[in-house]
């Protein structure tokens, strides 16, 4: 009994090893190319045979071609099997597809030696019929078990567990044996255990249950639950196994609870940092001039569209450096928004001294104009593609993946907040700003040009909104109304913090951000309320804000100075 | 001072000249009632554009019964009360022969009594929740049975991935509510257990989908789950972004959307959305000469008139429905040999016509449209590939039998 | 912050008083007698009277805002919420068969939307049942906001929440209410709101005229009540609250009581406005209580003239009519014009449009001569006349013809305003043949009028 099984396990392993080790030496690319040709041929049965052959002895190099076949980007061109890559923008030709060799992924060249591009997909492009697409996806996954790209490899390993794919078991085990403490050990162990749990003997199942309990991953938990359901349905109950599964499930649940909590905290942190960035500028302006700037959101919108313009310029003129457009977009957005803010202060706000409430009307009018200007020039349907280095995530612990984008947003806001603090606390502009905020008359009497300070402060505040505009399109839409979405909440942050106080804004933002992210999941866990969790979460936060202000009528840090009795 | 008097007199003369100018009687007015500002502008502006294009085309080919169409464009500014006011204005002050407009259900509910009281005629071009049948409205887009049921059936089929768990996510208003009710009734009738269906609603304009996508991610473990999304308008952008961000893909958990068409995809990075689905009655990619011509004309029109987006503009289901609405009205006027609403409405019933997406037919009784149903998959270039379609036209059910007691 | 607004002219001046009496009498007869008569005679279409009636409702709410913002210094950004409380109370009654609602037997004679929320009889939505009675609906519409505002105000003002903190709290209330009412579970119709009322309410002439007159009467009563409040010693306390609350506090007053009172009055006014609005509109949706709507309400008052009751009325009518007009005439350019209008008013007339009237009074008080008075009255006359023609649908057809993207009526308006401003300026320098200047301003008006009749 033992031997055939061992042989069954070792054989595919050998095949894989052989292919891996001798892939280049024995040059099976000819064989692979042959398989590809058959796949790209016209004959239906031939294609099926090619797929079957690939399942038997394909390797990771087939993956791009298979993905292209699945997604409809594979074609035969001049007797060569090619794939169409991600579109790039070329001056004068618009968005075009690069044409690549299906196996080597080398660009197909024209006679002049230049890379060949095509405007649109040819009609001869091949696409797997939907019925076989699942099969192809599985094949891609199996072939990617040894993919050089770690993310793909890991996804393939987990996928094997998802499918409880017995055929991959050998490969998984050999991988684990070779590198028991490596970065893939956790997913490998998990998938092996999941496959055992589905197909193994009773002993293997028991061991797998224990293993999954130790790993405590969500995927494992799901397999356990499935196994339990199957057991409960089956005629012969197995009390010991059920007991073991129950125990493991408990460990999984408690671990997952912690993970969920960390996720919510993280989501709260990312919401908080955006709120703070928006509210800081507002708070500085309000604290200094008592101006209710209803157009603050629109200055963020200006920053967002500036980012769009910069990103487009990069895409057009230096597509290679697109990933780094942000380096230019950050200063550009700050400067453009700040300049717009400065103009607005010079032309409008300055004439409204001593009448802060009228600025509500003026800035509302201004925001109408700004929104419509953006709509006329840019329209409603634009987007900024996020740089590739912001895709994916950072896996801190099993099941705890923090998206890079959110990490970046948090980091970006943190840097901005520190810079604002430094500017206010340690520069001479900051000193003048604080002096004017505390007592305008005396500052003025001491020779501070308060008007200049006002202009610069307004520009500084709106510039900060512009910075928020750089990151907002990364996770949200980009349209002329976008500013309106943030203005109400920003004001709330400012007020909760105590108008015009730096630390107040930080705490106010944190309060609002974390609260809403902790409360929303709370509602989701109640069955009857789950479907409206996001609304109820918001309403609860609003009620808490009202109660809080009732308790602390001037926010966390009550303003002192001239605004105290305004 | 003589100069001053001269200026005044000239001005007076010009004004009086205007007063006495007689209006030519060889025109017929139609109203266009789509929001051009506010939250709905993102969707409705395209419909105004395509209706104006249809008017241009008709005028270029001689107008309706020899009369040139004069479009009256107003902006209800995404304000539901203003919709009713503008509708009254179009019917009473401008005396238009027909109105093309509205997107949201609430805007239609707001203008409905106006059209009924003042004997107006409205062509409504957006798929909606049904449960309505006004003698003064023609519904040129889908009813729930022409969009929802085929989509759910498809996802449950082997082709669609044999999905067993369904996450019904929508914006909180009447279309998603009704749609999900229909879907749920259908799924339950097909033996899907209650526990495998999750229903959730977010407010209008919601943009923080971190928590919800986290929940979907947990729900979708194992790969037999899908999302049926009735999220409306620009909330889709942050939703799809967050979906991709948290590592969910179409292979594992496809999103079947009922409110995302080509026009909405313009504001997204479609490379990350490949494989997600949508159910509609028309796609830009439908490969017929008539449709190719329509798409090309629309692009040329937007390019020529320097509309935002220019030649990169796309067509989609509501755009097609808005477009052929104008032609249906024209054909009905010619059939009735009159612009009178009652006669035109009579002529529309049961009319067969060719739309860019293929031949269609108006229902003989219920004011809705017979349409084919397509399921499309998002491609990297923001277009849909049709992966499934009905063999013929599906009859519209204005009152869904899934909602009966 | 002592930008107190009082008319620059003491009312003791006899000619000014005569002017005021004449104007009030003219306005009174115009709105109470001439317009309804013209409508009855079919010269003014029902639609326009209905629109005027609805905008008058807005003016009622605006008076309330002026009372709390202009006089008491409380900037509430939640008045649209109270407006909707009234409107929903009335709408709930009107949507039921007892209120004439258009219900069908196939939906068990209850509003259709309930049916789709799995409610097949009112017993499952018990809070609807009392709304079968009209008296209950009306008293709920009045007392509910009064109670809510009093309780809310009591806690908020007693803990001395002020200024922008108060504004944000009211905004939070309005926002939360909007989110909740938009939910279908609340059984208030969700985002679609309540509709299918008794149809003749805004379709048959007798009903339209009745509701118009009711709104107008209510506006007059609200105006008189607020005028009485602001002129009594109570009003002086309110102004004191606005200007130096601490000093008042140390003088032994309890400012919060006065604030609660003013806040409740404003809330009730807004609710009454809503109750009259719902039947005239025929639909009420949660979109009416969005934060933006509350801000717009404040803007009406700011534009008209904060701290002057008739300024609030004028502002509400002016903003709503320009909004309605511009969205039709300049579908995608109107935000520019309206935004510019807000900016212009703030920069040119910090006190709001009431200044236009004050200038006339100054000229009258100075016995400046008929021409100077006319020139000063030019802008206000031109605007009012323009709005009136537009509002009643009497703008001559020829002036609405499109002329290179702009309609002649706007050119005439600009000429009239510019001409009279120019005339005033030249008159001050007294160098001009005065006739020319006045003609410059008067001619466009004459054209408009000529076309109208």
């Amino acid at each position: 009994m033992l031997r055939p099984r061992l042989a069954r396990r070792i054989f595919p392993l050998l095949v894989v090893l052989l292919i891996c080790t001798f892939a280049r030496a024995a040059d099976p690319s000819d064989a692979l190319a042959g398989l590809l040709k058959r796949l790209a041929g016209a004959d239906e049965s031939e294609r099926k045979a090619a797929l079957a052959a690939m399942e038997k002895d394909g390797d990771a190099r087939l993956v791009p071609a298979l993905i292209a076949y699945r997604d409809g980007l594979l074609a035969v061109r001049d007797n060569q099997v090619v794939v169409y890559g991600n579109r790039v923008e070329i001056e004068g030709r618009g968005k075009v597809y690069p044409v690549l060799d299906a196996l080597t992924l080398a660009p197909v060249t024209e006679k002049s030696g230049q890379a060949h591009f095509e405007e649109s997909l040819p009609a001869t492009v091949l696409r797997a019929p939907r019925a076989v697409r699942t099969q192809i996806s599985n094949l891609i996954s199996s072939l990617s078990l040894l993919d050089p790209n770690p993310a793909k490899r890991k996804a393939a390993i987990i996928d094997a567990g998802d499918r409880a794919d017995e055929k991959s078991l050998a490969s998984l085990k050999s991988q684990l044996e070779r590198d028991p403490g490596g970065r893939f050990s956790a997913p490998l162990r998990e998938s092996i255990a999941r496959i055992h749990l589905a197909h193994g003997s009773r002993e293997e199942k028991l061991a797998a249950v224990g293993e999954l309990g130790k790993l405590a991953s969500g995927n494992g938990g799901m397999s356990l639950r499935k196994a339990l359901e199957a057991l409960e349905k089956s005629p012969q109950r197995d009390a010991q196994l059920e007991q073991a599964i129950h125990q493991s499930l408990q460990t999984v649940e408690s671990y997952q609870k912690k993970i969920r909590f960390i996720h919510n905290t993280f989501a709260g942190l990312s919401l908080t940092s955006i709120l703070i960035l928006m509210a800081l500028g507002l708070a500085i302006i309000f604290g200094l001039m008592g101006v209710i700037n209803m157009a603050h959101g629109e200055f963020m919108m200006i920053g967002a569209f500036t980012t769009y313009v910069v990103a487009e310029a990069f895409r057009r003129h230096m597509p290679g450096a697109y990933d780094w457009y942000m380096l230019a977009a950050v200063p550009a957005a700050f400067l453009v928004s700040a300049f717009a803010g400065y103009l607005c202060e010079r032309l409008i706000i300055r004439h409204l001294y001593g009448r802060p409430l009228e600025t509500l009307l003026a800035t509302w009018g201004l925001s109408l104009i700004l929104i419509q200007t953006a709509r006329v020039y840019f329209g409603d349907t634009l987007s900024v593609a996020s740089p590739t280095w912001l895709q994916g995530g950072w896996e801190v612990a099993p099941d705890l993946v923090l998206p890079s984008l959110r990490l970046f947003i948090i980091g970006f806001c943190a840097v901005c907040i520190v810079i604002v603090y430094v500017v206010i606390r340690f520069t001479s502009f900051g000193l003048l700003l604080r002096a004017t905020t505390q007592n305008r008359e005396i500052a003025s009497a001491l020779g501070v040009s308060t008007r200049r300070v006002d202009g610069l402060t307004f520009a500084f505040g709106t510039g900060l909104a512009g910075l928020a505009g750089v990151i907002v399109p990364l996770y949200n839409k980009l349209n002329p109304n976008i500013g309106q979405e943030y203005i109400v909440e920003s004001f709330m942050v400012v007020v909760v913090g105590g108008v015009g106080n730096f630390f107040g804004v930080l705490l106010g933002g944190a309060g609002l951000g974390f609260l809403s992210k902790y409360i929303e999941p709370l509602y989701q866990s109640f069955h009857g309320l789950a479907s409206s969790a996001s609304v109820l979460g918001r309403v609860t936060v609003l009620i808490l804000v009202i109660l809080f202000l009732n308790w602390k009528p001037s926010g966390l840090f009550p303003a002192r100075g001239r605004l105290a009795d305004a | 001072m003589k100069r001053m008097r001269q200026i005044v007199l000239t001005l007076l003369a010009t004004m009086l000249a205007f007063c006495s100018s007689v209006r030519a009687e060889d025109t017929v007015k139609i109203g266009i009632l789509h929001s051009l500002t506010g939250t709905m502008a993102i969707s409705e502006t395209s419909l105004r554009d395509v209706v104006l294009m249809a008017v241009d085309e008709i005028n270029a080919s001689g107008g309706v019964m020899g009369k040139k169409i004069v479009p009256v464009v107003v902006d209800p500014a995404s304000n539901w009360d203003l919709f009713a006011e503008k509708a009254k204005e179009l019917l009473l002050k401008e005396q238009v022969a027909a109105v093309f407009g509205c997107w949201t259900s609430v805007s239609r509910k707001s203008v409905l009594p106006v059209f009924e009281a003042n004997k107006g005629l409205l062509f409504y071009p957006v798929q909606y929740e049904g449960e309505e049948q006004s003698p003064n409205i023609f519904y040129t887009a889908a009813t729930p049975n022409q969009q929802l049921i085929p989509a759910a059936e498809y996802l449950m089929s082997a082709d669609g991935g044999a999905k067993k768990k369904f996450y019904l996510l929508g914006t909180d208003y009447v279309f998603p509510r009704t749609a999900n009710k229909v879907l749920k009734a259908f799924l339950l009738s097909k033996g899907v257990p209650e526990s495998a269906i999750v229903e959730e609603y977010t407010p209008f304009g919601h943009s923080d989908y971190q928590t919800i996508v986290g929940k979907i991610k947990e729900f979708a473990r194992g790969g037999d789950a899908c999302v049926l999304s009735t999220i409306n308008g620009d909330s889709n952008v942050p939703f799809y972004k967050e979906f991709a961000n948290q590592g969910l893909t179409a292979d594992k958990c496809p999103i079947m959307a009922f409110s995302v068409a080509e026009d909405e995809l313009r504001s997204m990075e479609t490379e990350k959305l490949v494989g997600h689905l949508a159910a509609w009655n028309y796609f830009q990619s439908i490969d017929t000469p008539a449709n190719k011509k329509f798409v090309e004309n629309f692009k040329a029109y937007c390019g020529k008139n320097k509309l935002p987006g220019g030649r990169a503009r796309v067509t989609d289901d509501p755009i097609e429905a808005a477009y052929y609405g104008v032609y249906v009205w024209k054909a009905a006027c010619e059939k009735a040999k009159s612009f009178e609403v009652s006669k035109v409405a009579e002529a529309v019933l049961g009319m067969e016509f060719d739309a860019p997406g293929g031949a269609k037919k108006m229902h003989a009784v219920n004011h809705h449209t017979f349409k084919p149903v397509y399921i499309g998959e998002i491609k990297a270039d923001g277009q849909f590939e049709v992966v499934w379609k009905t063999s013929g036209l599906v009859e519209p059910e204005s009152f869904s039998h899934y909602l009966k007691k | 912050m002592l930008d107190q607004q009082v008319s620059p002219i003491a009312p003791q001046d006899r000619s000014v008083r005569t002017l005021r009496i004449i104007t009030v009498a003219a306005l009174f007869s115009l709105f109470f007698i001439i317009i309804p008569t013209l409508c009855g005679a079919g010269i003014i279409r029902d639609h326009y009277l209905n629109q005027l009636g609805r905008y008058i409702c807005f003016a009622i709410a605006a008076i309330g805002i002026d009372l709390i913002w202009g006089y008491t210094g409380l900037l509430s950004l939640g008045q649209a919420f109270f407006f909707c409380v009234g409107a929903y109370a009335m709408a709930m009654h009107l949507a039921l068969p007892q209120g004439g609602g258009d219900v069908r037997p196939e939906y068990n004679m209850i509003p259709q939307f309930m049916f789709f929320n799995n409610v097949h009889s009112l017993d499952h939505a018990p809070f609807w049942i009392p709304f079968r009675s009209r008296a209950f609906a009306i008293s709920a519409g009045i007392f509910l906001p009064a109670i809510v505002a009093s309780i809310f105000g009591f806690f908020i003002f007693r803990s001395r929440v002020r200024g922008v903190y108060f504004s944000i709290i009211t905004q939070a209330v309005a926002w939360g209410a909007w989110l909740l009412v938009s939910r279908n579970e609340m059984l208030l119709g969700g985002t679609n709101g309540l509709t299918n009322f008794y149809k003749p309410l805004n379709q048959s002439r007798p009903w339209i005229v009745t509701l118009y007159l009711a709104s107008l009467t209510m506006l007059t009563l609200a105006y008189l009540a607020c005028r009485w409040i602001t002129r009594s010693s109570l009003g002086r306390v309110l102004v004191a609250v606005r200007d130096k609350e601490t000093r008042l506090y140390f003088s032994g007053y309890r400012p919060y009581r006065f604030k609660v009172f003013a806040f409740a009055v404003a809330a009730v006014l807004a609710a009454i406005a809503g109750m009259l609005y719902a039947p005239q509109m025929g639909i009420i949706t949660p979109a009416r209580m969005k934060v933006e709507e509350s801000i717009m309400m404040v803007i009406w008052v700011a534009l008209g003239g904060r701290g002057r009751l008739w300024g609030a009325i004028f502002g509400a009518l002016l903003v709503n009519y320009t909004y309605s007009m511009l969205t039709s005439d300049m579908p995608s350019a109107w935000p520019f014009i309206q935004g510019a209008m807000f900016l212009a008013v703030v920069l040119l007339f910090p006190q709001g449009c009431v200044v236009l009237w004050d200038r006339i009074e100054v000229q009258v008080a100075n016995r400046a001569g008929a021409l100077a008075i006319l020139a000063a009255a030019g802008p206000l006359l031109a605007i009012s006349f323009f709005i009136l023609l537009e509002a009643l649908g009497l703008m001559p057809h020829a002036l609405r013809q499109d002329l290179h993207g702009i309609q002649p009526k706007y050119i005439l308006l600009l000429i009239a305003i510019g001409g009279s401003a120019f005339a005033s300026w030249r008159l001050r320098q007294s160098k001009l043949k005065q006739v020319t200047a006045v003609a410059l301003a008067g001619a466009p008006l004459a054209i408009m009028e000529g076309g109208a009749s």
Side-chain angles (χ1 to χ4, degrees), chain B residues 6-50:
Chain B
Q6 262 174 1
I7 295 173
V8 174
L9 283 176
T10 328
L11 270 168
L12 270 172
T14 342
M15 293 304 159
L16 286 172
F18 274 113
C19 298
S20 54
S21 75
V22 188
R23 249 171 61 75
E25 279 308 313
D26 53 354
T27 57
V28 55
K29 279 184 180 175
I30 62 164
I32 301 179
L33 187 61
H34 285 299
S35 302
L36 310 175
T37 54
T39 48
M40 290 313 295
I42 180 170
S43 309
E44 293 193 57
T45 314
S46 294
L47 301 193
R48 174 211 46 189
D49 297 341
V50 82

Side-chain angles (χ1 to χ4, degrees), chain B residues 246-258:
Chain B
Q246 296 204 16
L248 282 163
T249 56
D251 304 357
K252 292 282 166 206
C253 178
I255 303 170
M256 171 71 82
F258 300 108

Side-chain angles (χ1 to χ4, degrees), chain A residues 491-504:
Chain A
F491 263 115
M492 226 163 265
V493 169
V494 172
V495 161
V496 166
V499 164
N501 185 297
F502 181 83
F503 290 104

Side-chain angles (χ1 to χ4, degrees), chain A residues 70 87 127 130 133 159 219 222 260 267 381 386 405-406 473 476-477 479 481 485 517 524 531, chain B residues 38 154 159 199-201 207-208 210-211 218 221 234 241-242 245 251-252 266 377 381 385:
Chain A
R70 185 189 61 193
R87 281 191 299 175
R127 179 145 208 220
R130 234 188 125 84
R133 258 183 249 166
D159 192 63
N219 286 329
M222 200 195 53
R260 249 172 263 150
T381 50
S386 41
L405 177 66
R406 297 280 169 182
N476 203 341
K477 58 220 167 201
N479 70 31
N481 284 334
E485 198 173 290
K517 285 294 138 194
Q524 271 176 344
S531 72
Chain B
Y154 175 75
D159 265 6
E199 216 177 326
E200 178 149 8
Y201 300 94
S207 64
D208 192 343
Q210 290 184 86
T211 317
E218 238 169 80
R221 283 216 171 98
D234 48 12
K241 277 192 178 171
E242 192 62 42
N245 234 337
D251 304 357
K252 292 282 166 206
R266 285 201 293 143
E377 209 181 41
D381 58 357
E385 181 182 320

